[in-house]
Each structure stands twice: as structure tokens, then as C-alpha cells.
Amino acid sequence: MMTGMDSVPQCDVPVSILQHRINAAKDPEETAKLQKELEQLLERRELIRQTVQQIVRLSTDSEEQAERVLTAKQCLMERDNYRAAVEYFRVQCFDWHKQECEYARHQLSVFVNLCEERIPLARIKEAIDQVSEKLKK
């Protein structure tokens, strides 16, 4: 038997769970608390998404290349650069081992694309540094 949860993409499960909990809440205080949690979760996800987009735009040479990096589904060949780039992103920006930053894992295909576009690792790290400075403010 399929439930509504079966068709939710993995990255949207936390949102879906909170929405179900909001709908099931009987107490207005509980509803408000859960609504606030949902808003914070969605704000964090948007921050992660925008941060990755800024990293791409700072790393690439043109708007066309940036769009390609943000939308393509390339196969990973540049494994060493990819590992170094995503680990640097995890340490400097969003540690996806922490529940509130878990959504960052769903943005890693962009780093595959940056590496496959042959963007130098130093340039990717420089972009991460620039963006992470804004996050720390």
C-alpha cells in the first residue's frame, strides 16, 4: 500500500513531515511552533541554494556556463577535485552531517558539474571563501 510519503523526493521528506505534523496539530500553540520550525527549515534551504548559486557564479566565466553548471547532470570523472571541493564546502559553509544543513547534500551535483567544466579547484575554493565570509556575518 502506498502512502503520500512514498512519492516525496528524499530531500523534501523533512518538509513533508513538518507539514503533516502541522495539519495534525490540535493545539494552536503547537501549530505555531511547528509553523515556525517549517519556516526556519525553508529559509535554511533557500540560504543553502542561494549560496551554491553564488559559488557557481563566482567560479564560472559566463552566465551560460553558470546555467550549465546549475542545471546539467554530468558524470563524475574529476573525483579528486570533487572530493576536495565538497569537503571544503562542507567545512566552510554547511556541514550536512548536522540535521539543519542536511539539504546541502542535495546540492552536491553542482560541484560535480563545476569539476567536469574543468574549473580549477583553487577557483572553486576561492568562491567558497568569498561566500562563506558573508555567511559568518
Side-chain angles (χ1 to χ4, degrees), residues 3-134:
T3 64
M5 297 296 277
D6 293 342
S7 59
V8 175
Q10 184 195 357
C11 66
D12 292 332
V13 169
V15 172
S16 184
I17 289 171
L18 271 174
Q19 288 171 331
H20 285 291
R21 288 178 62 199
I22 289 167
N23 292 338
K26 305 285 186 241
D27 173 13
E29 277 183 35
E30 178 72 4
T31 301
K33 180 179 154 278
L34 292 169
Q35 192 66 44
K36 186 165 178 57
E37 276 183 51
L38 179 60
E39 286 170 18
Q40 290 172 336
L41 175 66
L42 294 174
E43 284 172 13
R44 172 60 73 164
R45 288 172 64 146
E46 184 59 20
L47 176 65
I48 292 169
R49 201 181 61 69
Q50 287 179 5
T51 299
V52 170
Q53 285 185 352
Q54 289 174 337
I55 291 166
V56 168
R57 295 201 190 306
L58 290 167
S59 299
T60 52
D61 293 318
S62 67
E63 189 58 36
E64 294 76 28
Q65 187 180 35
E67 281 307 309
R68 195 167 54 242
V69 167
L70 289 167
T71 58
K73 298 280 185 231
Q74 296 191 48
C75 291
L76 179 61
M77 305 306 247
E78 297 288 320
R79 281 184 168 68
D80 291 342
N81 281 350
Y82 170 77
R83 275 194 215 101
V86 298
E87 182 60 16
Y88 199 73
F89 172 70
R90 185 185 70 75
V91 170
Q92 297 297 321
C93 296
F94 301 103
D95 183 353
W96 54 80
H97 297 302
K98 295 178 181 170
Q99 187 174 357
E100 70 271 14
C101 297
E102 197 176 310
Y103 183 71
R105 284 185 311 118
H106 301 283
Q107 302 294 309
L108 299 183
S109 63
V110 169
F111 290 94
V112 170
N113 297 342
L114 281 171
C115 293
E116 292 308 314
E117 286 279 330
R118 303 282 195 265
I119 306 290
L121 180 59
R123 189 168 174 189
I124 297 169
K125 285 183 169 185
E126 191 178 295
I128 291 170
D129 285 340
Q130 286 180 41
V131 172
S132 72
E133 282 305 309
K134 294 176 192 165

